[in-house]
Structure formats: structure tokens, C-alpha cells
Amino acid sequence: MDAAAGIGPLGRGLPDAVLRPVRGHHAFEACVEQLATAIRLGVYPLGSTLPPERELAERLGVSRATLREAMAALRQAGLVETTRGRGGGTVVTLRPRTPSARKALRTSPATRADWLDSLAYRRVVEPGAAALAAEQDLTTAQVAQLEAAHDAVASSGRPAPHRQADSRFHLTVAALSGSPRLIEAVTSVQSTLHEMLLAIPVLDANIAHSDRQHATVVRAILAGRPDQARRAMEHHCDDTAALLRGLVG
């Protein structure tokens, strides 16, 4: 086996088959998902060295800055370690060093399956809630409620308050839909999402990206554009799901 290239009995082209160019607005999360999945599936086995930064960035179709953010996420999750200088590189270690990484490792297959189902369910209900909220004739008080919920997420500096503010934002969007069943569905989804997010590191790049997507959702709702609100929430759900699939496994 050529450990440095992740080459095994399936052939020299395996990394090329598994790693694909990603879409621009999903770049960070998609990089994390693809690289983490490749590591977990043994495309890059334990102890192997990942290809150089320039090669990986070209293969994934992203900037080197985006790739560095993704590699930092993999390091925080305990999947790789990086050494600098002559003879350095990024090596697959699969050694969880943080409580969140150890929690992810202990997650049972049944729980993982339930989490994946929740992500699929979320992809249906939350974009629908955003679209329905955009169709409503919101009162001044409701507009203020949505803006306050968004501001609370954007201004939360610490991880725990940010996670709670994030949940309140999504529940506020659901409440503005006017549908009790949608509120119940989003509440269930956010509860499970909270469990999943506790099992991964807090990533600044993801938080910044998420906040920008929240702002897009808010603008679409306030402009009364249901199709735009739906698409914006779909993008948000897709990116969160990609990150969780990669880091939770």
C-alpha cells in the first residue's frame, strides 16, 4: 500500500473517485464531509499522509484558504494531525482529543441512523416553514420578533448561548408560519440537531457561514418571497447536514 497516497487494492484512482469538486456556496461544509468520509472509509487509512494542500484544493475545486478551514475542522475532530516544516504533513490519526470528538465516537449505530433521518426530515419541514412565514402578512411586532431572534444569534459570542439563540431563531421562523404542526415538527428537529451539534467541535467558519444564511432567510421572509426563503433555508439545512455527516460519521 502507498500510504501517502491512500492507495490500496481498489486501485490508484480511488481518491479521485471519492473526492469531487464542490459547489462554491457549500465549499467549507462539503470539503469537511468529503474528507472526513474518505478518512472514515479508509480511502486515506490510519497513519497515511494526506496529499499536499495544493493537490487537495485542486481536486475539490476550492481555494486553499477554504481547504485550510476544512483541515482545521478535521484536526479539531481528532481525525488528523498536522506537522509543519521539512518532512511535515497532515497524517490520519483518528484520535479524538476533545469531549465532542469522543462523544461522536461513542454514538451508537442506531442513534446515528436516527440522526440522519432527522436531517432528512429537517430538509423538508424547515424550508417549508420559512416559505410559509414569507407568505404571511406579518405585524410590526412579528417583524421585530424575527429581527431580534436573528440579532441574538449574530451577537452570541460563546458556543452555548449561540446554540440556544440559533434554536430560538429557527423556532421563531416556524412560529411565524402560523402552523402549530410545523412548530411541533421544527421543535422536534431542533432538539435532535442540538444533540448532534454537541458531538462536533464548534467551528468559527461554520458559524460565520450559518449567520450569513440566516440573514438571507430573514431578508426573504421580510420581502414576502416564499421561494427565496425556501431555497435559502434549504441551503442552510444542506450545509449543516454535510458538516454533521462528515464529523459525526
Side-chain angles (χ1 to χ4, degrees), residues 27 31 48-49 70 77 129-130 160 165 167-168 205 230-231:
C31 281
S48 65
T49 301
S167 292
R168 288 195 300 271
R230 183 188 298 276
R231 284 195 299 272

Side-chain angles (χ1 to χ4, degrees), residues 188-212:
S188 173
V189 163
Q190 284 294 317
S191 177
T192 303
L193 190 67
H194 179 73
E195 294 179 24
M196 297 183 73
L197 289 170
L198 289 176
I200 70 169
V202 176
L203 305 173
D204 291 340
N206 172 247
I207 289 176
H209 193 188
S210 176
D211 287 348
R212 290 194 296 272

Side-chain angles (χ1 to χ4, degrees), residues 53-220:
E53 181 181 277
R54 177 179 297 175
E55 180 182 335
L56 278 178
E58 290 177 354
R59 184 173 294 172
L60 291 165
V62 299
S63 69
R64 294 176 72 171
T66 296
L67 181 68
R68 290 187 194 110
E69 291 179 336
M71 297 304 294
L74 298 181
R75 284 194 294 272
Q76 287 182 259
L79 297 179
V80 300
E81 290 181 357
T82 302
T83 56
R84 304 295 179 186
R86 187 177 180 85
T90 298
V91 178
V92 176
T93 56
L94 297 176
R95 270 183 267 176
R97 297 183 177 278
T98 64
S100 61
R102 289 190 288 272
K103 180 180 177 66
L105 195 65
R106 294 193 301 268
T107 305
S108 70
T111 297
R112 290 173 194 266
D114 180 65
W115 284 357
L116 289 175
D117 181 59
S118 292
L119 292 178
Y121 182 54
R122 184 192 190 206
R123 179 59 159 70
V124 175
V125 299
E126 292 218 30
L132 193 54
E135 293 178 359
Q136 308 305 308
D137 185 13
L138 301 181
T139 66
T140 301
Q142 287 174 318
V143 169
Q145 181 184 11
L146 179 60
E147 291 176 336
H150 175 239
D151 291 343
V153 183
S155 62
S156 294
R158 292 178 296 134
H162 183 275
R163 174 84 281 276
Q164 291 180 334
D166 188 274
S167 292
R168 288 195 300 271
F169 171 78
H170 286 275
L171 291 172
T172 298
V173 172
L176 295 180
S177 75
S179 168
R181 289 185 185 274
L182 268 178
I183 297 170
E184 181 181 357
V186 173
T187 300
S188 173
V189 163
Q190 284 294 317
S191 177
T192 303
L193 190 67
H194 179 73
E195 294 179 24
M196 297 183 73
L197 289 170
L198 289 176
I200 70 169
V202 176
L203 305 173
D204 291 340
N206 172 247
I207 289 176
H209 193 188
S210 176
D211 287 348
R212 290 194 296 272
Q213 290 174 328
H214 285 170
T216 303
V217 171
V218 170
R219 285 195 298 270

